[in-house]
């Protein structure tokens, strides 16, 4: 069995990191201290989001 030839690397232009948590309020407090600011949005009760750069987001999800 042959391995296909590797092409050029694909550029990463946007990153979304999702961290599932069991205790959203506690995790939100921890990340607020880590990042030095509260979450940018809470689009639903089970989600907290920080925009780290124009194209990078961190989500906590319960």
């Amino acid at each position: 069995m042959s391995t296909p030839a590797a092409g050029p690397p694909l550029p990463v232009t946007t990153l979304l990191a999702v961290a599932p948590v069991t205790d959203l309020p506690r995790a939100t407090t921890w990340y607020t201290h880590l990042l030095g600011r509260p979450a940018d949005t809470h689009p639903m009760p089970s989600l907290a989001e920080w925009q780290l750069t124009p194209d990078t987001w961190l989500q906590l999800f319960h």
Side-chain angles (χ1 to χ4, degrees), residues 12-18 50-59:
V12 175
T13 58
T14 303
L15 177 67
L16 172 63
V18 180
W50 284 263
Q51 186 173 11
L52 304 176
T53 72
D55 298 314
T56 306
W57 289 84
L58 169 64
Q59 290 184 334

Side-chain angles (χ1 to χ4, degrees), residues 9-34:
L10 296 174
V12 175
T13 58
T14 303
L15 177 67
L16 172 63
V18 180
V21 299
T22 57
D23 186 337
L24 185 60
R26 184 174 177 192
T28 300
T29 298
W30 192 88
Y31 277 92
T32 295
H33 288 286
L34 176 70

